[in-house]
Amino acid sequence: MTTPLIITVAAVGAELTLEQQPNLPITPEQLAVDSAACAEAGASIYHLHVRDPEGRPTMDVERFRAAHEAIREASDLIVQFTTGGAVSDGPEARLAPLELRPEMATLTTGTVNFGDEVFLNPLPLITRIYERELEVGVLPEFEIFDAGMIATADRVYREYESDHHRHYDLVLGVPGAMPAWSDSVQWLASKLPEEATWSATGIGRNNQPVAVAAASSGGHIRTGFEDVRYLEPGRLATSNRELVEQVAAIATSNGRPIATPEQARNILEL
Ligand code: KMH
Ligand code: ZN
């Protein structure tokens, strides 16, 4: 049977501003509406960053708590917290929301240039976040912005003698990180452990080509305002739902059924 395709929606992010995207979901009420619409369109994972009332990125635990509750009341989506936050967030802030024990959380396994800035992930911080994720029973998703991060993910997994399911997200096209070359998705995927699952996301204009490459090579897809603003050149997306619909159509045209949240939980062994 063809493996159903899991759609992750990275709905908020830390970089996009309200000026750039007035429909960015910020309040718990907006997140509830947004998550329900994305679930209806085929998403099964909601990758979550939160904002303060002015729309600035924050790692405030109470904002995460309210958002987490609102999304879970509105949908059956798997909620995946960021541990990356914004490039300006320090280790304590990035770790704090894990106390809320979401089903999943991210783990970026290396430092990378991030536009004009640096997304700092030295090994001691990686292991600290990983250890905390294991301690609270959260499934990590390894965020791979560059090839060396695959090796570091393997390293921490082995060092902790882990046996959880390994799921990766290949993030392609961040300026300064791994570009979305035509063979990037297949090449990176070929370096992952055999039994692992993976999604891919292309930043900005790379979003659709990367989605096609992922759908046609057995992977899963991530999309959402965090990664992409335009449905096509000159046509701004007005909701995360539209972006989910776009990649759901790509999946279907590549012969991949869309995973329900329940199927996604089975695939990820949650
Ligand atoms: N905002 C980026 C610096 C994650 O969510 O884990 C990091 C990021 C990764 O978004
Ligand atoms: Zn993120």
Side-chain angles (χ1 to χ4, degrees), residues 60-195:
D60 178 72
V61 174
E62 292 316 311
R63 300 287 298 178
F64 269 91
R65 189 191 308 278
H68 193 201
E69 284 172 5
I71 296 161
R72 284 192 304 171
E73 267 173 37
S75 75
D76 187 29
L77 293 174
I78 298 161
V79 182
Q80 178 194 80
F81 282 11
T82 178
T83 62
V87 287
S88 51
D89 286 315
E92 303 309 323
R94 287 171 57 180
L95 279 155
L98 289 176
E99 72 176 58
L100 302 175
R101 298 172 192 265
E103 277 184 272
M104 292 181 81
T106 57
L107 178 63
T108 299
T109 47
T111 293
V112 66
N113 284 327
F114 198 85
D116 294 343
E117 316 205 73
V118 177
F119 179 28
L120 207 58
N121 295 288
L123 191 59
L125 177 59
I126 296 167
T127 53
R128 217 180 134 197
I129 296 174
Y130 186 56
E131 204 170 290
R132 181 70 177 143
E133 290 180 338
L134 297 179
E135 192 178 83
V136 298
V138 168
L139 181 71
E141 174 182 276
F142 298 115
E143 302 300 312
I144 306 300
F145 290 73
D146 227 328
M149 295 189 193
I150 294 177
T152 303
D154 286 352
R155 175 178 170 173
V156 291
Y157 186 82
R158 268 188 278 108
E159 275 177 9
Y160 281 80
E161 298 179 0
S162 296
D163 62 359
H164 60 75
H165 178 78
R166 277 183 281 184
H167 186 63
Y168 297 76
D169 181 43
L170 311 175
V171 186
L172 302 174
V174 169
M178 181 87 173
W181 289 313
S182 59
D183 58 348
S184 292
V185 168
Q186 280 193 348
W187 185 81
L188 287 171
S190 75
K191 307 297 175 203
L192 301 177
E194 188 116 8
E195 70 287 1

Side-chain angles (χ1 to χ4, degrees), residues 13 47 49 82 222 226:
H47 169 71
H49 289 248
T82 178
R222 185 176 115 165
E226 176 167 345

Side-chain angles (χ1 to χ4, degrees), residues 232-249:
E232 58 190 22
R235 194 167 144 233
L236 206 58
T238 58
S239 66
N240 280 303
R241 180 193 184 116
E242 284 184 330
L243 292 166
V244 173
E245 283 170 349
Q246 187 174 53
V247 297

